[in-house]
């Protein structure tokens, strides 16, 4: 499936731990934020055209959780990857156990660092 | 006949109640990460207002000053004042034997050179007293979980008293007394006899008291008066 380019292309440099990703989850019809109380938001990261999950990074849900905002902060070593294109999938597990994954993946491009 | 068929199908509108995701890129939160190895240390802190170091020194210096007054009073006693008695026969050799009132001799004695030296060294007593405090305290942080967590306060105070006493007393007392005795015959009464010059204690000789004589050896024979030899 061709990558959906609705999301902005995130440009990263190898071995960096920034920038972070702020994820705002709302209802598609009403536009109201999804209450993330006791929910988990996870970013699954892989290279484009591969099936191997390189890492899964839980997002930090900001308080109040009813605002539906979660932030993905890179851990040192997450971006220690070869230069190339990558994609990420956002998975949401609500307090009632329901699980919903954002269909459109996030797009990343990673370049080699200078130093 | 014509048949019109109208179909009124239901319209299905499908709305997918999906989550909309809005992504923003930037620095939003500060992440604090914890290591896997967890260690807990407990450092009890006991605040104490006690001054641990108590260096006290006590010194005591006492001096002893002798209150002895040097008395240099010299007394001389010649015994019975027999010179006050009138006598002719039996008087001492230096006594001028004459008839009449006995010669009263004035005897003085002047001590010379009383070099009395008195030394006294002050003895001092030095007392040194030092205090050493040992304060040990433990604080139980989380209750009596173990035997070692009991709150224990121990206080040790050791007093070292090492007095040092030194006493040096030196008395040097020397006294020199040199006397020179001079005594004079200040008076002689006899008119009939020429006694001659004054007799000194360091004089030696013979005094002949004679009335009228034909020779110095008149009294050598004992029939008029008497002769005495003194030295």
């Amino acid at each position: 499936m061709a990558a959906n380019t609705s999301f902005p292309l995130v440009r990263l440099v190898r071995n960096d731990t920034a920038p972070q990703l702020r994820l705002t989850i709302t209802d598609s019809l009403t536009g109201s934020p999804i209450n993330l109380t006791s929910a988990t938001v996870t970013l699954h990261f892989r290279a484009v055209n591969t099936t191997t999950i390189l890492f899964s990074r839980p997002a930090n849900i900001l308080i109040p959780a009813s605002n539906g905002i979660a932030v993905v902060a890179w851990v040192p070593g997450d971006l220690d990857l070869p230069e190339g294109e990558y994609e990420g999938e956002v998975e949401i597990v609500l307090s009632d156990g329901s699980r919903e994954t954002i269909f459109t993946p996030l797009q990343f491009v990673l370049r080699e660092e200078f130093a | 006949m014509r048949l019109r068929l109208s179909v009124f199908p239901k319209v299905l509108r499908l709305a997918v109640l999906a989550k909309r995701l809005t992504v923003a890129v930037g620095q939003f939160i500060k992440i604090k990460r914890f290591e896997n190895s967890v260690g807990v240390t407990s450092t009890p802190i006991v605040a104490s207002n006690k001054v641990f170091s108590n260096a006290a020194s006590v010194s005591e210096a006492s001096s002893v000053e002798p209150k002895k007054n040097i008395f240099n009073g010299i007394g001389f006693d010649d015994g019975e004042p027999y010179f006050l008695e009138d006598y002719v026969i039996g008087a001492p050799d230096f006594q001028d034997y004459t008839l009449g009132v006995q010669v009263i001799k004035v005897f003085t004695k002047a001590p010379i050179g009383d070099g009395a030296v008195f030394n006294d060294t002050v003895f001092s007593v030095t007392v040194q007293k030092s205090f050493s405090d040992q304060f040990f305290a433990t604080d139980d942080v989380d209750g009596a979980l173990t035997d070692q967590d009991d709150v224990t306060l121990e206080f040790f105070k050791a007093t070292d008293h090492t007095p040092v006493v030194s006493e040096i007393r030196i008395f040097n007392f020397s006294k020199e007394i040199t006397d020179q005795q001079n005594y004079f015959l200040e008076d002689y009464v006899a008119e009939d006899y020429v006694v001659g010059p004054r007799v000194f204690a360091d004089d030696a000789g013979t005094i002949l008291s004679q009335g009228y004589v034909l020779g110095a050896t008149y009294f050598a024979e004992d029939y008029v008066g008497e002769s005495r030899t003194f030295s």
Side-chain angles (χ1 to χ4, degrees):
Chain A
M1 176 189 305
N4 189 331
T5 60
S6 61
F7 293 118
L9 184 62
V10 180
R11 295 178 175 86
L12 301 172
V13 177
R14 185 175 181 175
N15 289 322
D16 282 358
T17 56
Q20 300 172 345
L21 302 180
R22 186 179 70 180
L23 307 177
T24 304
I25 302 170
T26 60
D27 188 275
S28 60
L29 293 178
T30 62
S32 59
I34 302 300
N35 191 346
L36 298 179
T37 304
S38 302
T40 60
V41 179
T42 306
L43 176 66
H44 302 284
F45 196 86
R46 72 174 184 186
V48 172
N49 298 325
T50 63
T51 59
T52 303
I53 302 299
L54 300 175
F55 62 87
S56 297
R57 185 59 55 213
N60 302 281
I61 298 174
L62 301 186
I63 297 175
S66 57
N67 291 339
I69 299 175
V71 175
V72 177
W74 308 107
V75 173
D78 286 348
L79 300 182
D80 186 12
L81 300 170
E83 180 177 345
E85 294 182 347
Y86 299 84
E87 55 187 4
E89 175 181 84
V90 178
E91 180 185 73
I92 304 166
V93 179
L94 297 176
S95 58
D96 57 0
S98 59
R99 175 183 171 183
E100 184 171 343
T101 302
I102 302 301
F103 182 84
T104 304
L106 304 178
Q107 301 295 317
F108 303 93
V109 60
L110 186 67
R111 72 164 179 84
E112 193 66 43
E113 61 182 342
F114 291 172
Chain B
M1 270 174 131
R2 238 179 183 179
L3 178 58
R4 288 193 178 174
L5 178 58
S6 297
V7 178
F8 298 98
K10 292 191 176 34
V11 175
L12 178 60
R13 292 191 178 187
L14 177 61
V16 177
L17 300 177
K19 306 295 186 292
R20 173 181 287 179
L21 181 63
T22 304
V23 180
V25 179
Q27 188 71 26
F28 306 104
I29 61 175
K30 182 175 290 186
I31 301 298
K32 189 173 184 180
R33 307 186 185 280
F34 296 93
E35 299 294 334
N36 290 330
S37 61
V38 177
V40 176
T41 59
S42 174
T43 303
I45 298 175
V46 177
S48 172
N49 295 326
K50 179 177 176 63
V51 177
F52 293 151
S53 62
N54 188 11
S57 62
V58 176
S59 61
E60 176 180 353
S62 60
S63 61
V64 175
E65 296 181 358
K67 297 299 182 182
K68 178 180 180 180
N69 296 323
I70 300 175
F71 175 72
N72 191 15
I74 300 174
F76 187 83
D77 187 9
D78 287 337
E80 298 180 355
Y82 62 88
F83 296 108
L84 297 178
E85 298 178 354
D86 292 338
Y87 65 93
V88 175
I89 300 174
D93 294 336
F94 57 83
Q95 175 59 46
D96 182 16
Y97 58 96
T98 58
L99 296 177
V101 180
Q102 179 62 39
V103 173
I104 299 176
K105 299 176 183 54
V106 177
F107 181 82
T108 60
K109 185 176 181 179
I112 298 175
D114 186 10
V117 177
F118 181 82
N119 294 327
D120 188 10
T121 301
V122 174
F123 69 92
S124 63
V125 176
T126 302
V127 176
Q128 294 180 353
K129 183 180 295 183
S130 62
F131 296 93
S132 61
D133 294 337
Q134 295 181 359
F135 184 79
F136 173 78
T138 60
D139 192 8
D140 187 3
V141 177
D142 54 356
L145 295 178
T146 63
D147 294 334
Q148 297 178 357
D149 289 338
D150 294 336
V151 177
T152 303
L153 292 178
E154 297 180 1
F155 177 76
F156 298 94
K157 183 175 181 180
T159 302
D160 296 331
H161 185 192
T162 57
V164 177
V165 177
S166 61
E167 176 178 354
I168 300 175
R169 180 181 294 178
I170 299 175
F171 291 91
N172 294 328
F173 182 81
S174 63
K175 186 174 183 180
E176 295 179 1
I177 299 176
T178 58
D179 295 335
Q180 288 184 0
Q181 301 179 358
N182 296 319
Y183 49 89
F184 304 91
L185 295 175
E186 293 186 354
D187 191 13
Y188 43 92
V189 180
E191 298 178 356
D192 298 335
Y193 297 95
V194 177
V195 178
R198 288 184 174 184
V199 177
F200 293 89
D202 55 351
D203 291 344
T206 302
I207 294 179
L208 298 179
S209 174
Q210 56 185 3
Y212 54 92
V213 293
L214 297 178
T217 61
Y218 181 78
F219 288 104
E221 297 179 357
D222 185 14
Y223 70 96
V224 176
E226 59 183 346
S227 64
R228 294 183 182 184
T229 302
F230 71 94
S231 63

